[in-house]
């Protein structure tokens, strides 16, 4: 546009800075006016990587309307705590104390002296069925936002990690109406977001085609033109660096999880997270050869067979790679490996969010795809 003024961004529930890295990756012109989080370990990591960003170590509900107005932001990025929404009992979601801060933001929106132009929210699958989401969408519509929701997995942008997440993008349509056919008054019940089928072979899913069409995935990312998802080895550390015993799975874990483990080889194009932890064999023993016969083995034979696989965890650095964090991202030495895994597990996929930010902010793209899906 004509005004190349830097967009002022407020980063809520900032964690280890996934949203901030997504902004960098998106190449938009921005300035993070403040990041807010109450997790002190996450905040250490954030400050370590972004020493010049104002980081408020306080609860969001502790921030007053005046303070928000002073920050005068054009965009809110947020990834609210997901625990309240993953429960089966959806009634709890608005009563959960952790939802307080989220409701505080939603309630402030209509009262801000200058409503932000853009809002992007990330959450777990399940949020789309919550009362919290309904309340948010209703408020956004009342404040003249155009809302678009989608479920996206990193596999849709070529990263071999299945992690379906809910995203909401809202754009204030006060100045120019977004070219979407208006259908009389706003419907009361917001349409449910488009949900991608769980099996990630669905590369024809509308979300992924939209993401791909609009921002054809960087060619440099995909050397192998016909395969849209990269091999895992592209995300691994040099082998000699990870043959430390601490990364190998101990016998007890092997026995307990043998049948459940999601085992991937470096040549695979997928990975899942089990309790924030990834597993990976670095050998070409056919796992199928080992597991069918396990039932017939004694405990010791079982352990020996499994140990021969040399199964190991992904290292925190590899997890960060799979989540799209750049090489410049590091943890301070004070943060333990266990904490690193946990913090990464609570973070988001930088590449996915960067692409969604481009979709949200670039007006040409907005028109081409003809409004909400």
């Amino acid at each position: 546009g004509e005004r190349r003024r830097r967009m002022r961004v407020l980063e809520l529930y900032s964690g280890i800075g996934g949203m901030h890295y997504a902004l960098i990756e998106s190449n938009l012109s921005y300035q993070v006016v403040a990041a807010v989080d109450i997790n002190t370990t996450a905040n250490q990591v954030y400050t370590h990587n972004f020493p010049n960003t104002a980081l408020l170590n306080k609860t969001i509900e502790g921030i007053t309307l005046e303070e928000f107005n002073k920050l005068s932001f054009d965009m809110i990025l947020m990834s609210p705590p997901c625990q309240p929404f993953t429960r089966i009992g959806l009634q709890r979601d608005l009563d959960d104390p952790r939802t307080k801060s989220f409701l505080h933001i939603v309630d402030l929106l209509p009262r801000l002296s200058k409503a932000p132009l853009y809002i992007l929210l990330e959450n777990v699958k399940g949020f789309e069925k919550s009362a919290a989401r309904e309340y948010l969408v209703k408020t956004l519509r009342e404040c003249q936002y155009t809302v678009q929701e989608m479920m996206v997995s990193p596999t849709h942008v070529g990263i071999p990690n299945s992690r379906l997440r809910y995203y909401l993008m809202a754009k204030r349509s006060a100045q120019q109406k977004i070219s979407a056919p208006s259908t009389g008054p706003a419907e009361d019940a917001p349409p449910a977001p488009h949900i991608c089928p769980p099996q990630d072979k669905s590369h024809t899913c509308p979300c992924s085609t939209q993401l791909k069409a609009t921002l054809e995935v960087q060619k440099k990312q995909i050397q192998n033109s016909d395969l849209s998802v990269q091999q895992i080895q592209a995300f691994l550390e040099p082998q000699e660096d990870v043959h430390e015993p601490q990364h190998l799975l101990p016998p007890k874990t092997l026995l307990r999880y043998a049948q459940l483990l999601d085992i991937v080889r470096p040549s695979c194009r997928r990975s899942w997270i089990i309790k924030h932890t990834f597993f990976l064999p670095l050998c070409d023993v056919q796992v199928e050869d080992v597991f069918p016969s396990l039932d017939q083995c004694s405990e010791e034979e079982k352990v020996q067979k499994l140990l021969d696989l040399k199964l190991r965890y992904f290292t925190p650095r590899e997890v960060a790679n799979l989540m799209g964090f750049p090489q410049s991202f590091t943890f301070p030495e004070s943060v333990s490996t266990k904490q690193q895994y946990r913090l990464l597990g609570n973070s988001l996929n930088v590449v996915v969010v960067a692409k969604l930010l481009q979709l949200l902010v670039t007006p040409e793209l907005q028109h081409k795809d003809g409004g909400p899906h």
Side-chain angles (χ1 to χ4, degrees):
E2 314 80 73
R3 33 182 219 111
R4 285 303 288 149
R5 174 176 99 68
R6 288 198 300 166
M7 210 169 25
R8 297 173 60 84
V9 179
L10 173 64
E11 188 183 6
L12 300 176
Y13 312 99
S14 46
I16 56 177
M19 289 286 194
H20 198 145
Y21 280 112
L23 278 167
I24 296 173
E25 168 90 8
S26 72
N27 283 322
L28 298 169
S29 176
Y30 71 90
Q31 173 198 353
V32 177
V33 292
V36 187
D37 206 301
I38 50 167
N39 181 324
T40 46
T41 319
N43 287 346
Q44 271 176 290
V45 179
Y46 191 103
T47 304
H48 174 76
N49 288 287
F50 298 112
N52 304 322
T53 303
L55 174 63
L56 312 178
N57 184 15
K58 59 197 298 188
T59 65
I60 287 170
E61 58 270 37
I63 303 175
T64 63
L65 181 60
E66 292 75 48
E67 290 176 274
F68 274 122
N69 280 334
K70 264 205 201 88
L71 290 170
S72 166
F73 41 85
D74 307 300
M75 174 185 268
I76 300 178
L77 298 179
M78 56 174 153
S79 189
C82 54
Q83 300 91 328
F85 312 117
T86 48
R87 292 210 188 84
I88 311 302
L90 296 170
Q91 313 78 281
R92 271 302 308 275
D93 63 8
L94 291 175
D95 309 330
D96 191 296
R98 282 168 301 201
T99 319
K100 257 245 222 24
S101 61
F102 176 69
L103 294 178
H104 179 63
I105 299 159
V106 180
D107 287 335
L108 283 181
L109 267 178
R111 298 159 51 206
L112 290 167
S113 53
K114 183 187 85 173
L117 197 53
Y118 305 106
I119 295 173
L120 187 145
L121 172 142
E122 183 260 10
N123 217 296
V124 290
K125 178 171 164 21
F127 184 79
E128 76 280 1
K129 298 201 262 308
S130 68
R133 172 230 164 231
E134 231 172 286
Y135 182 56
L136 170 66
V137 172
K138 181 174 164 296
T139 307
L140 288 170
R141 295 238 156 107
E142 286 163 5
C143 297
Q144 316 292 246
Y145 283 89
T146 302
V147 177
Q148 186 173 355
E149 303 170 276
M150 45 171 82
M151 302 296 249
V152 187
S153 170
T155 48
H156 300 150
V157 296
I159 297 175
N161 176 24
S162 308
R163 206 175 189 224
L164 200 57
R165 286 287 181 271
Y166 165 91
Y167 296 92
L168 176 142
M169 299 186 282
K171 185 175 178 165
R172 190 101 196 283
S173 43
Q175 302 89 324
Q176 18 49 285
K177 288 270 175 276
I178 292 184
S179 57
S182 65
T183 49
E187 322 79 82
D188 285 347
H194 166 75
I195 313 250
C196 300
Q199 69 287 11
D200 272 307
K201 295 179 194 63
S202 62
H203 283 300
T204 49
C205 147
C207 302
S208 57
T209 43
Q210 184 201 349
L211 278 169
K212 284 213 185 99
T214 338
L215 310 154
E216 44 128 14
V217 181
Q218 284 90 335
K219 298 206 176 50
K220 67 171 192 301
Q221 248 198 347
I222 297 157
Q223 283 81 34
N224 195 342
S225 55
D226 57 0
L227 293 159
S228 60
V229 178
Q230 299 182 79
Q231 297 190 347
I232 276 185
Q233 51 216 15
F235 297 83
L236 300 181
E237 294 192 81
Q239 288 330 305
E240 52 282 9
D241 300 354
V242 267
H243 267 315
E244 297 165 41
Q246 86 224 37
H247 293 298
L248 291 173
L249 272 64
K252 221 170 46 206
T253 312
L254 285 171
L255 276 177
R256 219 166 101 206
Y257 291 116
Q259 313 295 358
L260 304 174
L261 284 186
D262 179 50
I263 294 177
V264 293
R265 283 192 208 82
S267 58
C268 284
R269 297 176 191 276
R270 61 184 177 83
S271 64
W272 275 265
I273 303 175
I274 300 180
K275 293 201 181 137
H276 302 334
T277 310
F278 300 62
F279 299 98
L280 174 81
L282 286 181
C283 61
D284 286 313
V285 181
Q286 288 302 301
V287 181
E288 299 72 43
D289 298 344
V290 180
F291 286 170
S293 53
L294 274 184
D295 310 336
Q296 287 89 60
C297 303
S298 69
E299 290 272 284
E300 294 85 88
E301 286 178 302
K302 245 189 217 173
V303 170
Q304 198 40 61
K305 279 192 162 185
L306 290 166
L307 285 173
D308 289 345
L309 285 175
K310 290 231 185 344
L311 290 171
R312 73 164 175 85
Y313 293 101
F314 282 102
T315 65
R317 176 69 255 175
E318 290 168 342
V319 176
N321 294 346
L322 279 164
M323 295 183 72
F325 281 80
Q327 289 307 307
S328 57
F329 166 78
T330 55
F331 284 100
E333 304 211 326
S334 56
V335 180
S336 73
T337 306
K338 197 175 170 174
Q339 287 172 317
Q340 292 179 27
Y341 280 123
R342 182 171 301 136
L343 291 167
L344 284 162
N346 287 329
S347 190
L348 43 80
N349 192 291
V350 171
V351 178
V352 170
V353 176
K355 294 202 180 308
L356 293 176
L357 282 170
Q358 290 170 329
L359 264 183
L360 175 61
V361 173
T362 317
E364 307 80 85
L365 301 179
Q366 292 278 343
H367 295 308
K368 228 178 288 174
D369 64 37
H373 291 269

